[in-house]
Amino acid sequence: MNLRPDPTFHASPKLAMQAPVENYAFTVMLSPDGLQSDGIAVVDVKVGSDTYGQIVHQVIVPNKGDEFHHFGWNACSSSLSPLTGHAFLERRYLIVPGIRSSRIYVIDVKEPLKAKIHKTIEPEELFEKTGYSRPHTIHCGPEGIYVSCLGGGGADGTDGPPGIFIMDCETFEIIGQYEMDRGKQDKHYDFWWNLPQDYMVSSEWGLPPQFENGVVPEDLLSNKYGHSIHFWDLRARKNIQTMDFGENYQMALEIRPAHDPTKSYGFCGVVVDTTNLQGAIFTWWRDDDGVWQSKKTITIDPRPEKPENLPPLLQGFEAVPPLVTDIDLSLDDKYLYVACWGLGEMHQYDVSDPMNPVLAGKVELGGIARGAKHPNGENFAYGPQMVEISRDGKRIYWTNSLYSTWDDQFYPDDEGGQMVMADVGENGGLTLNKDFYVDFPKGLRSHQIRLEGGDCSTDSFCYPSA
């Protein structure tokens, strides 16, 4: 317990943007075949450092077969909420779940170069206290740590719907299920909120049998993956509205609300439109009557390609779909970054007008039947995937693995884990930094990134920017 609030907690997005820049990034390392243990890599991102762009420390867990995926902080700027009793926590621990094992590790990163395992929560405790499995997204709330799960109970995770549970932010004990009334919600993926306005939004991927062994083509073409988002009364823990984008909009994934808590809108990325293979971004907002609305505001076209250049899964389509697998929003709510994992492209959209996004920048790296190299001449396996933005909005980091079995389906000839960074121009635009290229140890891939002191997909702000 600190005697004053953690200096990395910020009342508003504007104050967070003005804070000192990150010196370290924390990145997942996962073993796709389970032959190695997974871990967290500490990467030096301090410009001018002798070890810039290198892994300077690793935390390797003792178990195998966890498949690290997403992870998050124990505490963040949400601790400054006037409703919380936890303003004197510190941003010290990373909560790292294994999406396959349902095991959760708490890693102490107070001293990044001495980061170590603090606690391990075994899957049996998760099953017993929540009835959920396959933990995924972590968000630090004002009164606890919220964790979304992609599976329910039972061996295959289909015994009951998946959902969110809450952990104590000091002891890391699992408290229990979040939902009091889930309404139509029967799948899960991402979630985020606006704390002062007391709402939460959640999304859908699919149930474990639909993703653990790879995409199920029959389910995709018959539109059986998630295509709805859900709006919740955050404090009442009740689903108040379910919005269906349309069954052809398969896999509604990342939820990105505006960071300014006075705004009542946000974005959701859709992996693929099964009618035309396009990727899509929907803008959602609350109207004057308090009803949630949505509109498709970005479409990204597939690229024609010869069947012989494509993985078997795509040969019949003679095209490369964009596969929008991650999005992230800068803290000033100006730029939305869209990872097109299939095309091998990172897009930057000016969303100053959230109903009329404008493409402001794009880089090519990796990609199906493209394999665009990094400016340093090195290969980049797969395509741009998990994206993270520095608080000041000047640096965009990303990695390349989506999910081990999906990597192997869409990129059967690729292997490896990389992390790169692009610099943002003063008036927008993206340029890959030729000096920043992290190649992870052989046999390990990389997924989510967290930045020291917080980033653009971590912190929730409780006060408007002045």
Side-chain angles (χ1 to χ4, degrees):
M1 180 77 70
N2 289 332
L3 296 179
R4 62 191 61 168
D6 189 309
T8 71
F9 296 170
H10 305 287
S12 70
K14 182 178 179 180
L15 291 173
M17 293 184 73
Q18 296 169 351
V21 302
E22 67 281 0
N23 291 316
Y24 297 102
F26 305 95
T27 309
V28 156
M29 298 188 297
L30 65 102
S31 171
D33 53 16
L35 295 179
Q36 301 183 56
S37 294
D38 293 355
I40 295 293
V42 182
V43 178
D44 185 343
V45 296
K46 184 178 181 180
V47 176
S49 167
D50 291 340
T51 52
Y52 178 69
Q54 297 179 30
I55 297 172
V56 290
H57 184 65
Q58 299 180 38
V59 180
I60 304 298
V61 300
N63 301 289
K64 295 180 180 179
D66 288 311
E67 183 143 359
F68 285 178
H69 196 64
H70 285 213
F71 64 111
W73 293 102
N74 67 305
C76 61
S77 299
S78 66
S79 294
L80 300 181
S81 167
L83 302 178
T84 182
H86 295 99
F88 299 101
L89 289 174
E90 59 180 327
R91 188 195 306 265
R92 175 171 178 169
Y93 301 97
L94 289 171
I95 315 303
V96 187
I99 194 174
R100 285 192 181 271
S101 67
S102 297
R103 184 178 290 110
I104 300 172
Y105 300 88
V106 180
I107 298 180
D108 185 346
V109 296
K110 184 171 184 175
E111 297 182 70
L113 300 184
K114 297 180 181 179
K116 59 185 182 298
I117 297 171
H118 172 75
K119 181 175 181 176
T120 303
I121 302 168
E122 295 297 335
E124 292 76 17
E125 181 179 348
L126 174 61
F127 304 154
E128 179 183 352
K129 292 183 176 179
T130 71
Y132 296 150
S133 61
R134 286 80 172 177
H136 186 263
T137 302
I138 310 291
H139 273 303
C140 32
E143 71 285 83
I145 301 164
Y146 287 62
V147 183
S148 72
C149 292
L150 306 188
D156 66 356
T158 61
D159 183 6
I164 294 170
F165 70 88
I166 300 177
M167 297 171 62
D168 186 283
C169 53
E170 295 182 277
T171 66
F172 308 111
E173 292 295 316
I174 293 175
I175 299 172
Q177 288 188 8
Y178 163 79
E179 300 83 3
M180 297 297 290
D181 180 354
R182 71 179 68 248
K184 296 181 179 178
Q185 179 258 312
D186 61 0
K187 301 179 185 68
H188 223 293
Y189 185 72
D190 197 19
F191 70 100
W192 214 356
W193 45 49
N194 182 313
L195 294 172
Q197 296 192 43
D198 200 28
Y199 70 79
M200 183 177 78
V201 190
S202 67
S203 64
E204 304 178 339
W205 184 11
L207 296 173
Q210 294 178 294
F211 63 78
E212 286 193 324
N213 296 314
V215 65
V216 181
E218 298 80 11
D219 282 7
L220 181 59
L221 295 177
S222 56
N223 297 324
K224 292 183 179 179
Y225 285 86
H227 44 85
S228 295
I229 60 175
H230 307 275
F231 295 87
W232 301 74
D233 181 319
L234 182 57
R235 296 294 158 188
R237 296 150 60 186
K238 179 180 181 180
N239 184 348
I240 56 174
Q241 185 180 337
T242 290
M243 179 183 293
D244 192 336
F245 290 147
E247 66 175 13
N248 54 301
Y249 293 108
Q250 288 286 280
M251 293 177 266
L253 297 187
E254 307 297 337
I255 296 292
R256 295 290 179 258
H259 294 288
D260 183 338
T262 66
K263 299 174 181 176
S264 303
Y265 70 83
F267 305 92
C268 180
V270 172
V271 174
V272 64
D273 179 344
T274 54
T275 65
N276 53 24
L277 295 188
Q278 288 180 333
I281 305 294
F282 281 78
T283 301
W284 47 263
W285 73 97
R286 183 162 49 189
D287 66 20
D288 293 340
D289 296 321
V291 179
W292 293 99
Q293 308 285 352
S294 69
K295 176 185 176 182
K296 183 171 65 173
T297 51
I298 297 173
T299 56
I300 303 168
D301 291 327
R303 187 185 77 239
E305 187 57 67
K306 295 178 181 179
E308 60 266 29
N309 296 333
L310 295 169
L313 190 67
L314 297 176
Q315 288 175 352
F317 299 101
E318 298 188 19
V320 177
L323 301 179
V324 172
T325 52
D326 193 25
I327 63 174
D328 205 4
L329 182 64
S330 60
L331 284 187
D332 57 5
D333 295 326
K334 182 175 183 179
Y335 291 118
L336 184 73
Y337 294 87
V338 179
C340 302
W341 187 67
L343 290 176
E345 297 176 359
M346 180 64 72
H347 291 195
Q348 178 198 56
Y349 293 89
D350 186 331
V351 291
S352 301
D353 177 354
M355 303 308 296
N356 295 285
V358 177
L359 183 65
K362 180 176 76 172
V363 297
E364 297 179 357
L365 191 60
I368 296 170
R370 175 183 276 169
K373 292 183 179 292
H374 191 267
N376 66 6
E378 296 290 342
N379 291 324
F380 187 83
Y382 320 119
Q385 218 297 103
M386 291 305 296
V387 54
E388 196 49 76
I389 308 168
S390 64
R391 293 181 301 283
D392 60 12
K394 295 180 180 180
R395 293 165 301 286
I396 315 302
Y397 301 89
W398 67 83
T399 56
N400 61 339
S401 170
L402 172 59
Y403 183 65
S404 60
T405 50
W406 292 50
D407 297 344
D408 298 341
Q409 282 181 304
F410 287 97
Y411 289 91
D413 298 323
D414 282 18
E415 184 55 66
Q418 285 90 38
M419 175 181 171
V420 299
M421 185 266 284
D423 295 303
V424 178
E426 279 192 27
N427 298 307
L430 283 176
T431 305
L432 276 166
N433 187 311
K434 64 181 179 63
D435 296 322
F436 189 93
Y437 176 90
V438 182
D439 196 16
F440 288 85
K442 185 176 180 180
L444 297 175
R445 300 176 188 175
S446 57
H447 194 66
Q448 189 158 50
I449 303 164
R450 289 286 173 227
L451 301 180
E452 178 193 35
D455 46 58
C456 292
S457 65
T458 296
D459 285 51
S460 309
F461 300 97
C462 303
Y463 303 89
S465 293

